[in-house]
Amino acid sequence: MTAETFGARLHAALGHHGPLCVGVDPHPELLQAWGLPETVEGLERFGELCVEAFVGRVALVKPQVAFFEAYGSGGIAVLERTITVLREAGTLVVADAKRGDIGSTMSAYARAWLGEGSPLASDAVTVSPYLGFGSLDPVLELAERNHGGLFVLAATSNPEGAQVQLSTGADGRKISQVMVDEAAARNAGADVLGSVGVVVGATLTDAPDLSALHGPILMPGVGHQGGTADDVRRLAGDCLRSVVPSVSREVLRAGPSVSALQEAVARSVEAFRFLQD
């Protein structure tokens, strides 16, 4: 991997392309809408069209790993090629894998998604800290060594998440706040933007205090899922310049036309341009 940290690379990409992450989510309904078969061949064409539409136009691309895994080894091969082509073209990739485990298993996940020479190697990966933030140490260590990044699930917008994330720990902090604070500790001393980001849903009524994070805030839920620019402002507070809104269906429903996908990207980037003002 490059000697420049993920946080620094993302900061530069946001400045160049604007604040946006676009998902590559080959949901069966989207494959049908694009006139593609629900096969590995259809998956491959979907990925090719997304690559053509997004390379050089967005700061971050986020393949949703589960939609590729559903096709078995053929789907994983398509995912490998999609990640490789995007990265070779200079576009940052975060693998939306949401991995979370302990010990040697977490080390294996780290090698899969951030290891040098891995066919799935990405610039960053999403991870779940709900076996304890310390369970992420193998990913944190490899990310630091290989100049990669991670996005820690902190405050997700699914209703079930509140059962864990909004509960109070022994020190009186909500668990979601603990996860943000742990991420912030790993970003201390970063020059422009730390490489340990968090995921905060744009449809939440409230969010943890993000003021000390000094890392990127991946914010899904905007657009199709109901989150608005006002929601982003409310949740991010003084950290607007660190927010990376994440859209999928909002852009992908414009396909399969590459030009239409590119126009949808341009509209989304413009809608969130205020984040850099």
Side-chain angles (χ1 to χ4, degrees):
M1 288 189 178
T2 177
E4 191 175 36
T5 67
F6 170 71
R9 300 197 305 276
L10 179 58
H11 182 265
L14 292 170
H16 185 70
H17 298 296
L20 191 69
C21 171
V22 179
V24 178
D25 296 7
H27 191 285
E29 291 179 1
L30 279 171
L31 289 173
Q32 293 171 16
W34 286 23
L36 297 173
E38 293 179 52
T39 62
V40 171
E41 291 73 25
L43 190 71
E44 181 98 54
R45 184 57 182 153
F46 187 97
E48 290 171 349
L49 290 167
C50 287
V51 168
E52 186 178 352
F54 303 151
V55 159
R57 293 178 180 270
V58 295
L60 192 62
V61 173
K62 182 174 67 64
Q64 170 47 259
V65 169
F67 289 122
F68 293 86
E69 289 177 330
Y71 292 85
S73 59
I76 295 297
V78 172
L79 177 61
E80 291 173 359
R81 289 191 289 274
T82 301
I83 291 172
T84 298
V85 173
L86 284 165
R87 296 189 73 211
E88 287 181 347
T91 296
L92 295 178
V93 175
V94 52
D96 195 359
K98 297 184 179 70
R99 295 302 191 246
D101 215 307
I102 59 172
S104 60
T105 307
M106 199 61 186
S107 295
Y109 283 140
R111 294 194 303 274
W113 298 106
L114 298 176
E116 291 185 2
S118 169
L120 291 166
S122 303
D123 295 280
V125 62
T126 58
V127 292
S128 173
Y130 290 104
L131 289 176
F133 199 93
S135 68
L136 302 180
D137 281 349
V139 187
L140 289 159
E141 291 164 5
L142 190 61
E144 182 175 6
R145 188 157 67 246
N146 288 351
H147 308 288
L150 57 154
F151 286 94
V152 180
L153 301 180
T156 58
S157 54
N158 62 302
E160 303 86 352
Q163 183 179 29
V164 174
Q165 296 161 16
L166 297 185
S167 61
T168 302
D171 62 1
R173 290 179 295 167
K174 290 180 180 178
I175 300 302
S176 58
Q177 187 65 57
V178 171
M179 300 310 171
V180 171
D181 293 345
E182 291 279 1
R186 272 65 174 186
N187 291 327
D191 289 338
V192 288
L193 196 65
S195 296
V196 183
V198 297
V199 179
V200 174
T203 57
L204 293 171
T205 56
D206 196 11
D209 180 2
L210 301 164
S211 58
L213 177 63
H214 193 48
I217 304 160
L218 189 64
M219 197 169 283
V222 295
H224 180 80
Q225 293 176 266
T228 66
D230 287 339
D231 291 323
V232 174
R233 287 189 181 93
R234 174 176 53 82
L235 295 169
D238 294 333
C239 301
L240 284 176
R241 294 182 68 85
S242 300
V243 173
V244 189
S246 179
V247 299
S248 295
R249 301 276 184 101
E250 187 76 6
V251 167
L252 295 174
R253 65 186 181 185
S257 164
V258 170
S259 61
L261 286 167
Q262 291 172 340
E263 289 170 5
V265 165
R267 287 194 299 271
S268 293
V269 169
E270 192 57 35
F272 293 102
R273 187 72 68 180
F274 70 89
L275 294 172
Q276 297 180 318
D277 292 341

